[in-house]
């Protein structure tokens, strides 16, 4: 198996995880949190998608985030700020993320996922050692960044599924 096939397989598991967390829920259920200040299902899926959109876009020459160029933000009650990925959100900022429906989450996720899938499918092994972020010590390679994005997404999708299991009946 080539490395791009491995990454495609890893990222390819995300759609089922995301769908399992959000399909069939109401806007109120997407916004429900197990306690004040905790992350909701909607926020968790929005955040994992925002991080992927932000980070993968950084890897694409001249591309802009789908969050900024599309009409997704208004469906979440938010402004389309490129630097707002949810990282470091306060409880009030978490509360402000209000997807109008599971479809709003899934349409944004699907668009970001399609871009990511296309990107990883064409990668060669030689490209993976390229340094993509020198702000860290050691500097971050393309391979490490892609694994980091996937790891973050899987963790947040799992958290969203867990919160779904806590929803009041």
């Amino acid at each position: 198996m080539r490395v791009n096939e491995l990454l495609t397989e890893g990222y390819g598991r995300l759609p089922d995880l995301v769908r399992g967390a959000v399909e069939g829920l109401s806007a109120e259920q997407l916004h429900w949190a197990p306690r004040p200040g905790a992350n909701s299902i909607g926020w968790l899926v929005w955040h994992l998608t925002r991080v992927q959109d932000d980070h993968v876009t950084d890897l694409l020459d001249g591309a802009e985030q789908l969050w900024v160029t599309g009409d997704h933000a208004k469906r979440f009650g938010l402004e389309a700020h490129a630097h707002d990925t949810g990282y470091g959100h306060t409880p009030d900022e978490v509360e402000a993320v209000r997807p109008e429906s599971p479809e709003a989450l899934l349409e944004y996720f699907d668009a970001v996922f399609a871009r990511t899938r296309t990107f990883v499918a064409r990668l060669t092994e030689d490209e993976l050692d390229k340094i993509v972020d020198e702000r860290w010590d050691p500097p971050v390679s393309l391979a490490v960044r892609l694994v980091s994005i996937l790891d973050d997404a899987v963790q947040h999708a799992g958290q969203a599924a867990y919160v779904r299991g806590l929803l009041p009946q």
Side-chain angles (χ1 to χ4, degrees), residues 17 22 38 61-62 67 80-81 89 94 99 130 136-137 151 165:
L17 296 173
V22 305
D61 292 329
W67 181 252
H81 297 296
H89 263 189
V94 170
K130 176 184 173 187
W136 301 91
D137 185 18
D151 177 59

Side-chain angles (χ1 to χ4, degrees), residues 42-56:
W43 185 90
L44 288 161
V45 173
W46 169 83
H47 170 64
L48 75 85
T49 307
R50 285 294 301 121
V51 168
Q52 190 175 147
D53 189 9
D54 174 71
H55 287 26
V56 171

Side-chain angles (χ1 to χ4, degrees), residues 48-118:
L48 75 85
T49 307
R50 285 294 301 121
V51 168
Q52 190 175 147
D53 189 9
D54 174 71
H55 287 26
V56 171
T57 299
D58 282 349
L59 302 173
L60 301 168
D61 292 329
E64 291 187 71
Q65 293 178 25
L66 299 173
W67 181 252
V68 174
T69 60
D71 65 346
H72 302 289
K74 68 181 180 182
R75 297 183 71 192
F76 290 77
L78 300 171
E79 298 292 324
H81 297 296
H83 298 293
D84 184 10
T85 63
Y87 182 76
H89 263 189
T90 66
D92 287 343
E93 290 168 317
V94 170
E95 173 75 18
V97 177
R98 293 182 169 264
E100 65 185 26
S101 65
E103 291 76 26
L105 283 163
L106 293 172
E107 288 171 18
Y108 178 45
F109 173 80
D110 288 344
V112 170
F113 173 71
R115 177 184 264 185
T116 301
R117 182 183 57 227
T118 299

